[in-house]
Amino acid sequence: MIGAAARDNAAWCDLVCRAHGLTGVTDADAWSVSRRSPPWYPDAVTLRPGVDPAAVLARIDDGPGASVKDSFADLDLTPHGFRVLFEATWIHLPPGPTPGASELTPVVTSEQLTTWATAHGGGPLFRAALLAEPGVRVLGLPDGHGGWAGGAVLHTGGDVVGVSNVFAADPTAAPRVWAGVCAAGADRHLVGYEHGGDLAVAVAAGFRGVGPLRVWLR
């Protein structure tokens, strides 16, 4: 399941980069872009354990600001001038019934995406081209005033649906967002990763941790 989650996450990173005019490369070892990825996105994602660190770094611009998502938490990039930015846990929820319908609604227009991205904090990171991708669902929790109290992105890749960019305007909205994610993807295996308080909310919604990952930053 970690391998499936890593491949889906890499495919989502590739879509975001392509929306910014960056072309990614994928093989059995990793996905990568040769120029710096957009903010909050890695320059490489490993896709199997045991990848040679030097080989990963040779695929990217490994200067200051470079980042690598170490999907199996088995790289040591310290000798190459990197430090661990954060550690997280891959999460998984198998298909199954949910207590109720999702409160999340689709974001379908560029205007809606702009307000959603502002609420998320990503601003211009999210390009309208993403809405045209058949495997992407941008979902929002309406705040009742024309804006968004939270949201998430679901990306269908292979046998799993990746959950990313989950956000909530306040702690009371977070359980509703995660419950909505579970309901919206109830027919597929849901995967993603979280850490800290966000991980606790995801686990409370029914997800379970399946393995560690790290993000390295130079």
Side-chain angles (χ1 to χ4, degrees), residues 53 57 75-84 216-218:
L57 298 182
L75 298 181
D76 181 9
L77 299 184
T78 305
H80 302 275
F82 286 71
R83 64 176 176 84
V84 175
W216 294 84
L217 175 69
R218 185 167 189 181

PDB file of all heavy atoms in Angstrom, residues 53 57 75-84 216-218:
ATOM      1  N   PRO A  53      20.869   7.234  -2.997  1.00  0.00           N
ATOM      2  CA  PRO A  53      20.679   8.674  -2.795  1.00  0.00           C
ATOM      3  C   PRO A  53      21.341   9.533  -3.861  1.00  0.00           C
ATOM      4  O   PRO A  53      20.756  10.509  -4.344  1.00  0.00           O
ATOM      5  CB  PRO A  53      21.303   8.922  -1.421  1.00  0.00           C
ATOM      6  CG  PRO A  53      21.229   7.611  -0.722  1.00  0.00           C
ATOM      7  CD  PRO A  53      21.414   6.587  -1.794  1.00  0.00           C
ATOM      8  N   LEU A  57      19.596  12.404  -6.395  1.00  0.00           N
ATOM      9  CA  LEU A  57      20.027  13.801  -6.461  1.00  0.00           C
ATOM     10  C   LEU A  57      20.541  14.176  -7.842  1.00  0.00           C
ATOM     11  O   LEU A  57      20.460  15.344  -8.236  1.00  0.00           O
ATOM     12  CB  LEU A  57      21.087  14.068  -5.398  1.00  0.00           C
ATOM     13  CG  LEU A  57      20.629  13.880  -3.958  1.00  0.00           C
ATOM     14  CD1 LEU A  57      21.747  14.231  -2.997  1.00  0.00           C
ATOM     15  CD2 LEU A  57      19.381  14.713  -3.649  1.00  0.00           C
ATOM     16  N   LEU A  75      16.343   6.854   3.125  1.00  0.00           N
ATOM     17  CA  LEU A  75      17.481   7.582   2.567  1.00  0.00           C
ATOM     18  C   LEU A  75      18.235   8.315   3.672  1.00  0.00           C
ATOM     19  O   LEU A  75      17.652   8.689   4.694  1.00  0.00           O
ATOM     20  CB  LEU A  75      17.012   8.618   1.540  1.00  0.00           C
ATOM     21  CG  LEU A  75      16.292   8.136   0.290  1.00  0.00           C
ATOM     22  CD1 LEU A  75      15.951   9.325  -0.591  1.00  0.00           C
ATOM     23  CD2 LEU A  75      17.136   7.124  -0.466  1.00  0.00           C
ATOM     24  N   ASP A  76      19.512   8.524   3.456  1.00  0.00           N
ATOM     25  CA  ASP A  76      20.291   9.429   4.305  1.00  0.00           C
ATOM     26  C   ASP A  76      20.909  10.481   3.388  1.00  0.00           C
ATOM     27  O   ASP A  76      21.913  10.229   2.719  1.00  0.00           O
ATOM     28  CB  ASP A  76      21.370   8.688   5.077  1.00  0.00           C
ATOM     29  CG  ASP A  76      22.164   9.631   5.988  1.00  0.00           C
ATOM     30  OD1 ASP A  76      21.747  10.809   6.132  1.00  0.00           O
ATOM     31  OD2 ASP A  76      23.181   9.191   6.549  1.00  0.00           O
ATOM     32  N   LEU A  77      20.296  11.650   3.362  1.00  0.00           N
ATOM     33  CA  LEU A  77      20.786  12.736   2.515  1.00  0.00           C
ATOM     34  C   LEU A  77      21.612  13.752   3.305  1.00  0.00           C
ATOM     35  O   LEU A  77      22.032  14.763   2.748  1.00  0.00           O
ATOM     36  CB  LEU A  77      19.607  13.442   1.829  1.00  0.00           C
ATOM     37  CG  LEU A  77      18.749  12.567   0.913  1.00  0.00           C
ATOM     38  CD1 LEU A  77      17.679  13.409   0.232  1.00  0.00           C
ATOM     39  CD2 LEU A  77      19.588  11.833  -0.115  1.00  0.00           C
ATOM     40  N   THR A  78      21.870  13.454   4.575  1.00  0.00           N
ATOM     41  CA  THR A  78      22.662  14.362   5.403  1.00  0.00           C
ATOM     42  C   THR A  78      24.046  14.627   4.816  1.00  0.00           C
ATOM     43  O   THR A  78      24.496  15.787   4.780  1.00  0.00           O
ATOM     44  CB  THR A  78      22.791  13.811   6.833  1.00  0.00           C
ATOM     45  OG1 THR A  78      21.498  13.552   7.368  1.00  0.00           O
ATOM     46  CG2 THR A  78      23.511  14.801   7.730  1.00  0.00           C
ATOM     47  N   PRO A  79      24.763  13.609   4.317  1.00  0.00           N
ATOM     48  CA  PRO A  79      26.089  13.877   3.746  1.00  0.00           C
ATOM     49  C   PRO A  79      26.054  14.774   2.506  1.00  0.00           C
ATOM     50  O   PRO A  79      27.088  15.312   2.108  1.00  0.00           O
ATOM     51  CB  PRO A  79      26.606  12.476   3.393  1.00  0.00           C
ATOM     52  CG  PRO A  79      25.819  11.540   4.239  1.00  0.00           C
ATOM     53  CD  PRO A  79      24.477  12.159   4.358  1.00  0.00           C
ATOM     54  N   HIS A  80      24.876  14.944   1.924  1.00  0.00           N
ATOM     55  CA  HIS A  80      24.740  15.762   0.723  1.00  0.00           C
ATOM     56  C   HIS A  80      24.231  17.171   1.038  1.00  0.00           C
ATOM     57  O   HIS A  80      23.862  17.905   0.121  1.00  0.00           O
ATOM     58  CB  HIS A  80      23.792  15.072  -0.261  1.00  0.00           C
ATOM     59  CG  HIS A  80      24.225  13.693  -0.662  1.00  0.00           C
ATOM     60  ND1 HIS A  80      25.120  13.462  -1.682  1.00  0.00           N
ATOM     61  CD2 HIS A  80      23.902  12.474  -0.146  1.00  0.00           C
ATOM     62  CE1 HIS A  80      25.318  12.156  -1.797  1.00  0.00           C
ATOM     63  NE2 HIS A  80      24.597  11.534  -0.873  1.00  0.00           N
ATOM     64  N   GLY A  81      24.199  17.511   2.328  1.00  0.00           N
ATOM     65  CA  GLY A  81      23.803  18.858   2.715  1.00  0.00           C
ATOM     66  C   GLY A  81      22.322  19.041   2.964  1.00  0.00           C
ATOM     67  O   GLY A  81      21.852  20.180   3.089  1.00  0.00           O
ATOM     68  N   PHE A  82      21.568  17.961   3.070  1.00  0.00           N
ATOM     69  CA  PHE A  82      20.136  18.032   3.332  1.00  0.00           C
ATOM     70  C   PHE A  82      19.848  17.793   4.814  1.00  0.00           C
ATOM     71  O   PHE A  82      20.644  17.185   5.525  1.00  0.00           O
ATOM     72  CB  PHE A  82      19.381  16.979   2.513  1.00  0.00           C
ATOM     73  CG  PHE A  82      19.260  17.291   1.044  1.00  0.00           C
ATOM     74  CD1 PHE A  82      20.370  17.232   0.212  1.00  0.00           C
ATOM     75  CD2 PHE A  82      18.031  17.631   0.488  1.00  0.00           C
ATOM     76  CE1 PHE A  82      20.263  17.507  -1.144  1.00  0.00           C
ATOM     77  CE2 PHE A  82      17.910  17.905  -0.861  1.00  0.00           C
ATOM     78  CZ  PHE A  82      19.022  17.847  -1.683  1.00  0.00           C
ATOM     79  N   ARG A  83      18.691  18.268   5.239  1.00  0.00           N
ATOM     80  CA  ARG A  83      18.185  17.969   6.586  1.00  0.00           C
ATOM     81  C   ARG A  83      16.745  17.508   6.462  1.00  0.00           C
ATOM     82  O   ARG A  83      16.068  17.775   5.460  1.00  0.00           O
ATOM     83  CB  ARG A  83      18.259  19.203   7.496  1.00  0.00           C
ATOM     84  CG  ARG A  83      17.376  20.352   7.057  1.00  0.00           C
ATOM     85  CD  ARG A  83      17.421  21.522   8.044  1.00  0.00           C
ATOM     86  NE  ARG A  83      16.650  22.672   7.587  1.00  0.00           N
ATOM     87  CZ  ARG A  83      15.336  22.821   7.766  1.00  0.00           C
ATOM     88  NH1 ARG A  83      14.647  21.870   8.383  1.00  0.00           N
ATOM     89  NH2 ARG A  83      14.719  23.903   7.329  1.00  0.00           N
ATOM     90  N   VAL A  84      16.240  16.806   7.473  1.00  0.00           N
ATOM     91  CA  VAL A  84      14.843  16.370   7.463  1.00  0.00           C
ATOM     92  C   VAL A  84      13.959  17.570   7.764  1.00  0.00           C
ATOM     93  O   VAL A  84      14.055  18.175   8.836  1.00  0.00           O
ATOM     94  CB  VAL A  84      14.604  15.249   8.493  1.00  0.00           C
ATOM     95  CG1 VAL A  84      13.119  14.890   8.548  1.00  0.00           C
ATOM     96  CG2 VAL A  84      15.437  14.017   8.141  1.00  0.00           C
ATOM     97  N   TRP A 216      13.049  15.670   2.815  1.00  0.00           N
ATOM     98  CA  TRP A 216      14.378  16.257   3.018  1.00  0.00           C
ATOM     99  C   TRP A 216      14.464  17.588   2.285  1.00  0.00           C
ATOM    100  O   TRP A 216      13.942  17.728   1.183  1.00  0.00           O
ATOM    101  CB  TRP A 216      15.456  15.320   2.476  1.00  0.00           C
ATOM    102  CG  TRP A 216      15.616  14.029   3.183  1.00  0.00           C
ATOM    103  CD1 TRP A 216      14.901  12.872   2.985  1.00  0.00           C
ATOM    104  CD2 TRP A 216      16.583  13.718   4.208  1.00  0.00           C
ATOM    105  NE1 TRP A 216      15.355  11.874   3.807  1.00  0.00           N
ATOM    106  CE2 TRP A 216      16.383  12.353   4.569  1.00  0.00           C
ATOM    107  CE3 TRP A 216      17.585  14.444   4.836  1.00  0.00           C
ATOM    108  CZ2 TRP A 216      17.160  11.730   5.530  1.00  0.00           C
ATOM    109  CZ3 TRP A 216      18.357  13.813   5.800  1.00  0.00           C
ATOM    110  CH2 TRP A 216      18.143  12.482   6.138  1.00  0.00           C
ATOM    111  N   LEU A 217      15.158  18.537   2.894  1.00  0.00           N
ATOM    112  CA  LEU A 217      15.328  19.869   2.302  1.00  0.00           C
ATOM    113  C   LEU A 217      16.794  20.271   2.367  1.00  0.00           C
ATOM    114  O   LEU A 217      17.461  20.068   3.380  1.00  0.00           O
ATOM    115  CB  LEU A 217      14.492  20.899   3.065  1.00  0.00           C
ATOM    116  CG  LEU A 217      14.639  22.359   2.645  1.00  0.00           C
ATOM    117  CD1 LEU A 217      14.036  22.587   1.264  1.00  0.00           C
ATOM    118  CD2 LEU A 217      13.996  23.266   3.683  1.00  0.00           C
ATOM    119  N   ARG A 218      17.280  20.850   1.271  1.00  0.00           N
ATOM    120  CA  ARG A 218      18.635  21.409   1.304  1.00  0.00           C
ATOM    121  C   ARG A 218      18.544  22.915   1.500  1.00  0.00           C
ATOM    122  O   ARG A 218      17.878  23.604   0.722  1.00  0.00           O
ATOM    123  CB  ARG A 218      19.382  21.124   0.008  1.00  0.00           C
ATOM    124  CG  ARG A 218      20.819  21.597   0.074  1.00  0.00           C
ATOM    125  CD  ARG A 218      21.678  21.064  -1.046  1.00  0.00           C
ATOM    126  NE  ARG A 218      23.085  21.377  -0.795  1.00  0.00           N
ATOM    127  CZ  ARG A 218      24.062  21.046  -1.618  1.00  0.00           C
ATOM    128  NH1 ARG A 218      23.824  20.338  -2.707  1.00  0.00           N
ATOM    129  NH2 ARG A 218      25.315  21.367  -1.326  1.00  0.00           N
TER     130      ARG A 218
END
